[in-house]
Amino acid sequence: DAGVIQSPRHEVTEMGQEVTLRCKPISGHNSLFWYRQTMMRGLELLIYFNNNVPIDDSGMPEDRFSAKMPNASFSTLKIQPSEPRDSAVYFCASSLGTAGEYDTGELFFGEGSRLTVL
Amino acid sequence: KQEVTQIPAALSVPEGENLVLNCSFTDSAIYNLQWFRQDPGKGLTSLLLIQSSQREQTSGRLNASLDKSSGRSTLYIAASQPGDSATYLCAVSAGGSYIPTFGRGTSLIVHP
C-alpha cells in the first residue's frame, strides 16, 4: 500500500484566497483524522471521521474551516477565506477504525501539506 | 480532557548513550499509546504501539513501557546513534473515543 497520500505538499497563497487540501487514506481504513501542527501549539486535532461520518469536529477553529469525506478513499479540508494565522503543516492520518479484536488503533500519517498564507 | 506531557522538551547527547524519553498522561482509561518519530519537514513515523492490556513493546534498540496506574510511558533508546536525531512524540488514545492526543514532543540530537 502507498500509505496515506496528501496533496499538495506545499501551498503558498495570499490572504483571502480559498485553500483546499486533499487526503487519500490507506485502503481499508475506516478512520480518518486531520491534524494541524505549529511550533506554538504542536499537533492539534481538527476533525475525526469514522466510516465517512464526522464524529468529532470540536477542533475546527472556526467557520472558515470545513472538511468533507464524500467516500472512503478521499477527504478534503477547505479554508475559506485563508488568513496568515492559518499557516501551518496540515496532516492527514488514518487507522483501521473498527475497534474490533484485531484493531490495535495504530495511526498512519501522510507527509503533510505545508501551507503558507501571505 | 486527556492531557499529554513530554519531558524533556529537548535533549542533546553524545553517540552511544542510552536514553529515556518520558510521556505522562492525565486520564488512565486509555485504548493505546503510540510513539512516533518525526524528521524535519516530514510526517510522523510509527515506532511502537502499546495496547491498554500490555506493559511494554520492543523493536530493535527501542523499548517502550506503559504504566497506566501512574499515567506514564517511557521510550528507551539503547546505544544512541546520530541517525536517531529527530523529534519523538507520544500519542494517547482515550478508551471509547479512540481519538489520539499528542504531546509536544522531545527534540533529540545525538552528536558524533
Side-chain angles (χ1 to χ4, degrees):
Chain A
D1 199 306
V4 178
I5 299 173
Q6 292 187 244
S7 64
R9 290 294 313 279
H10 302 274
E11 176 90 8
V12 180
T13 190
E14 293 190 347
M15 183 173 63
Q17 296 299 305
E18 178 178 295
V19 174
T20 299
L21 308 178
R22 298 172 178 80
C23 175
K24 176 179 168 56
I26 292 173
S27 178
H29 280 191
N30 298 298
S31 288
L32 183 141
F33 304 81
W34 281 101
Y35 284 90
R36 177 172 67 177
Q37 186 177 43
T38 61
M39 289 292 291
M40 290 289 292
R41 301 174 68 91
L43 264 169
E44 302 174 281
L45 177 70
L46 298 177
I47 188 167
Y48 157 51
F49 292 89
N50 187 258
N51 292 320
N52 313 333
V53 176
I55 303 299
D56 186 339
D57 65 355
S58 58
M60 295 287 266
E62 50 200 89
D63 292 346
R64 297 184 299 107
F65 284 69
S66 63
K68 294 182 179 179
M69 192 163 186
N71 57 62
S73 59
F74 184 65
S75 177
T76 59
L77 178 67
K78 186 174 293 187
I79 308 173
Q80 166 64 18
S82 57
E83 297 182 1
R85 61 189 167 125
D86 301 330
S87 297
V89 181
Y90 291 81
F91 285 104
C92 176
S94 71
S95 67
L96 193 55
T98 63
E101 179 181 357
Y102 300 105
D103 183 3
T104 64
E106 187 172 9
L107 197 60
F108 297 87
F109 276 78
E111 289 291 311
S113 293
R114 180 174 295 276
L115 173 65
T116 302
V117 183
L118 303 174
Chain B
K1 179 184 174 183
Q2 180 75 273
E3 293 182 5
V4 181
T5 304
Q6 291 188 246
I7 294 174
L11 189 59
S12 180
V13 300
E15 182 176 5
E17 278 204 6
N18 300 324
L19 310 172
V20 175
L21 308 183
N22 298 290
C23 173
S24 61
F25 47 94
T26 54
D27 186 347
S28 61
I30 70 170
Y31 176 57
N32 66 34
L33 184 146
Q34 199 167 350
W35 283 94
F36 293 88
R37 169 185 172 136
Q38 185 176 27
D39 293 288
K42 300 291 187 180
L44 281 70
T45 301
S46 178
L47 296 174
L48 290 166
L49 181 146
I50 309 176
Q51 294 180 264
S52 178
S53 59
Q54 298 173 328
R55 295 296 300 271
E56 66 176 349
Q57 285 287 340
T58 298
S59 176
R61 295 182 294 107
L62 304 180
N63 175 275
S65 66
L66 173 64
D67 183 344
K68 288 192 299 181
S69 62
S70 65
R72 292 183 180 179
S73 175
T74 60
L75 178 66
Y76 177 81
I77 304 175
S80 59
Q81 302 171 358
D84 295 329
S85 299
T87 297
Y88 291 80
L89 298 101
C90 82
V92 182
S93 292
S97 75
Y98 311 110
I99 298 175
T101 300
F102 281 81
R104 295 298 301 273
T106 294
S107 177
L108 172 65
I109 296 175
V110 181
H111 48 87

